[in-house]
Amino acid sequence: MYVKIKLKVTVMILLLLIGIPFSNIYASEQEPIHALLLYDGLAKGSSREGNVETMQRLLASYGIKVTQSTFDNYKKGGLAEYNKVIGIQNLDELSITNEDFINDLKIYKGDYLHIGTSIPSAVQVELNMVTNMLRDQFVKISMDQFSESRIHVKNMSYIVQAEGTFYGSIMSGNGDVRSPYGVRNDHFAYVPYYEQGNLSELAMSYVLKDWLDITRQGQTYLIFKEVYPFSDLKLLEKLADKLYDAGIPFMVSVRPVFMNVDYPAMHRYLETLKYVQSRSGSVLVNAPVVSSTASQDGLTLQTQMESFVDVLADYGIAPLGIGAEMYWSYDQQYAEYGMNFFDSSILFPNKDMRYWSRTDSSQPFASSLYSMQLDFLQQFDHNDTILQDLPMDSAITYDFSDNEVDMSKIVQTLNDSWITFADYRYGQHTVHTQANRIVSDNGLLTLNGQDVDLNDAYKNIGSEYAYTVEQEKSFAKLFNIQNNVFIVLIVVTLLIFGFLFIIGYRLYIRKYLNQRRK
């Protein structure tokens, strides 16, 4: 051991003397795994629709850089560029016909995972595997502490015989078929069934973790998104108090503000976020809403995102990552100009994709959470009273609501749940702009090297504010003089009129009395 250390130090000294910096010596160790994801189709309109996207998000949660393509578009020699390759066969009626891929796979030295039907012969030979087919049945899938019954499958392959490490199980409804959910040896792996929305989505993460050689255990976090300046901020403070009292750490993914940051409404927003931060809450910056990409400008987006991070930092708030729909990481412009300030993310399922400059390769993050809803986990049977750590880092996700009853129900559900949530601040996260560097490490938040004050006093922000700059008025002094003159004339006129009225009244009374005497 001493000899190895001494040799490493000697090498470093020699490299330094010839001008090679230490940062480049082990650069390859810091590079993320780059995997190739191949598929035959997206299976839109079928039960397998969406499984390619969930695979992309799963791989992101393991910090993997992904390049995606179809089997048909594969070019000869492509496999040699990757150590990890995944093939998803969604279309039962089609087989892999690309001869370049078939021939390259036969001599491929890396790791290959095949999912679905049309299993390449190289995979069958490597795993010494025999499969059969379930045409139309309900099956039960079991994996680790979870199980789910009555999953409807059509044309699903199952493993009759194989050599390697087995994962979970698939059992037919009548019990006559029982096979592993997946199998893996040193280089090849096979999973017969993978769909979005049932246990196979979660079961895949167990196979992936071992196949990717990931050793770090995942943790589960809690996040509330859709938080805006015009949200019910008092209710957000109450939510923070309830979760703090329950001992549940959480995160909020907040929508950025690019204009009017000096308004009291913005200051109240910032004060609320600072209060959330003081109640074991971590702050993430959510990607802005994309209404149209027609007039987008990359440098404008970069300036806006950087300015909002700086606004938070200047107010004593330490954002630790970015929240965005998954497609943002597959867009060159969004990744470069909107996400490059963060090394940590949570990628939500796609809802309204508005690509700007779509690319086939993803932006990897050192830390990325797999987003899921609590209902997704609660649909499974489980063996333990407490949720064991999942293979990947994951986040139970809720949309923040201005309905206090709904939020109270969520807090009660979380209190009654079997999940132990981790504190995001105890991970390693870095956010940097030209002006600020925010670091979270083992629970310590620092801003430009200084500890972030988590107990800063809450400030009440008044509503008095001049929302428009008062314009200089032309002839204002002249108009004021005229007004004063008119007021004087009116007052004098009223006095004269009153004097004449009194004189006339007296004359009338005198005349009336003289007539009565006669």
Side-chain angles (χ1 to χ4, degrees), residues 13 56 67 76 82 115 135 260 300 318 332 342 345 431 496 508:
I13 294 173
Q56 291 170 335
T67 295
K76 184 177 180 179
Y82 305 90
I115 301 167
R135 294 298 177 185
N260 304 325
T300 299
Q332 182 179 355
F342 313 92
S345 72
V431 179
I496 294 173
Y508 176 78

Side-chain angles (χ1 to χ4, degrees), residues 68 290 293 296 301 325-339 353-363:
Q68 60 177 355
V290 179
T293 59
Q296 290 281 3
L301 175 62
E325 291 183 31
M326 194 273 302
Y327 80 93
W328 265 60
S329 66
Y330 282 86
D331 189 290
Q332 182 179 355
Q333 303 296 324
Y334 292 144
E336 180 178 355
Y337 297 114
M339 308 178 85
M353 292 183 290
R354 292 180 181 269
Y355 285 102
W356 180 6
S357 179
R358 187 170 184 171
T359 179
D360 291 330
S361 296
S362 67
Q363 168 67 43

Side-chain angles (χ1 to χ4, degrees), residues 209-483:
K209 181 184 178 182
D210 285 357
W211 182 74
L212 293 168
D213 299 319
I214 304 295
T215 57
R216 187 178 64 85
Q217 192 62 42
Q219 298 191 78
T220 306
Y221 300 89
L222 172 65
I223 186 168
F224 292 87
K225 59 187 183 72
E226 302 302 330
V227 176
Y228 300 84
F230 47 81
S231 298
D232 189 336
L233 300 181
K234 290 298 182 183
L235 181 56
L236 181 58
E237 293 170 14
K238 290 181 181 179
L239 174 66
D241 287 336
K242 290 180 179 179
L243 293 173
Y244 181 79
D245 293 340
I248 301 176
F250 66 103
M251 298 180 286
V252 290
S253 188
V254 302
R255 292 288 185 179
V257 178
F258 302 139
M259 300 175 62
N260 304 325
V261 294
D262 292 330
Y263 284 11
M266 181 61 181
H267 289 173
R268 285 191 290 271
Y269 189 42
L270 295 173
E271 282 295 331
T272 299
L273 298 182
K274 183 185 289 187
Y275 184 78
V276 165
Q277 184 177 256
S278 72
R279 307 299 277 176
S280 297
S282 299
V283 176
L284 278 72
V285 178
N286 208 96
V289 175
V290 179
S291 57
S292 173
T293 59
S295 60
Q296 290 281 3
D297 184 310
L299 293 178
T300 299
L301 175 62
Q302 182 174 8
T303 301
Q304 290 174 333
M305 292 294 287
E306 184 174 24
S307 66
F308 182 68
V309 172
D310 288 339
V311 166
L312 295 177
D314 294 344
Y315 216 84
I317 301 167
L320 302 182
I322 184 170
E325 291 183 31
M326 194 273 302
Y327 80 93
W328 265 60
S329 66
Y330 282 86
D331 189 290
Q332 182 179 355
Q333 303 296 324
Y334 292 144
E336 180 178 355
Y337 297 114
M339 308 178 85
N340 63 331
F341 307 105
F342 313 92
D343 73 347
S344 300
S345 72
I346 174 170
L347 299 178
F348 305 115
N350 292 328
K351 289 185 177 179
D352 185 17
M353 292 183 290
R354 292 180 181 269
Y355 285 102
W356 180 6
S357 179
R358 187 170 184 171
T359 179
D360 291 330
S361 296
S362 67
Q363 168 67 43
F365 292 89
S367 169
S368 185
L369 308 185
Y370 188 78
S371 170
M372 64 182 77
Q373 295 183 337
L374 185 58
D375 292 345
F376 174 73
L377 286 179
Q378 288 179 332
Q379 68 179 327
F380 310 136
D381 298 324
H382 54 88
N383 303 327
D384 304 310
T385 55
I386 298 177
L387 176 69
Q388 303 300 314
D389 289 332
L390 297 175
M392 69 294 192
D393 286 335
S394 59
I396 301 300
T397 306
Y398 287 98
D399 286 349
F400 179 74
S401 169
D402 288 344
N403 188 312
E404 186 168 2
V405 175
D406 291 343
M407 299 312 295
S408 295
K409 289 180 180 179
I410 289 174
V411 173
Q412 187 60 48
T413 300
L414 294 171
N415 274 321
D416 296 339
S417 72
W418 44 298
I419 302 174
T420 300
F421 293 102
D423 192 331
Y424 196 66
R425 291 179 294 190
Y426 280 82
Q428 293 185 337
H429 315 286
T430 302
V431 179
H432 63 87
T433 65
Q434 292 184 7
N436 294 288
R437 179 178 175 83
I438 302 160
V439 176
S440 174
D441 187 5
N442 200 29
L444 178 64
L445 298 183
T446 59
L447 173 59
N448 299 326
Q450 301 296 319
D451 293 352
V452 176
D453 187 358
L454 300 180
N455 297 307
D456 199 0
Y458 184 89
K459 299 176 184 177
N460 288 314
I461 307 299
S463 59
E464 300 83 8
Y465 189 81
Y467 285 93
T468 58
V469 178
E470 187 175 356
Q471 301 294 322
E472 185 178 353
K473 301 177 179 63
S474 301
F475 305 107
K477 188 176 295 186
L478 177 61
F479 289 148
N480 286 334
I481 294 173
Q482 287 179 341
N483 290 338

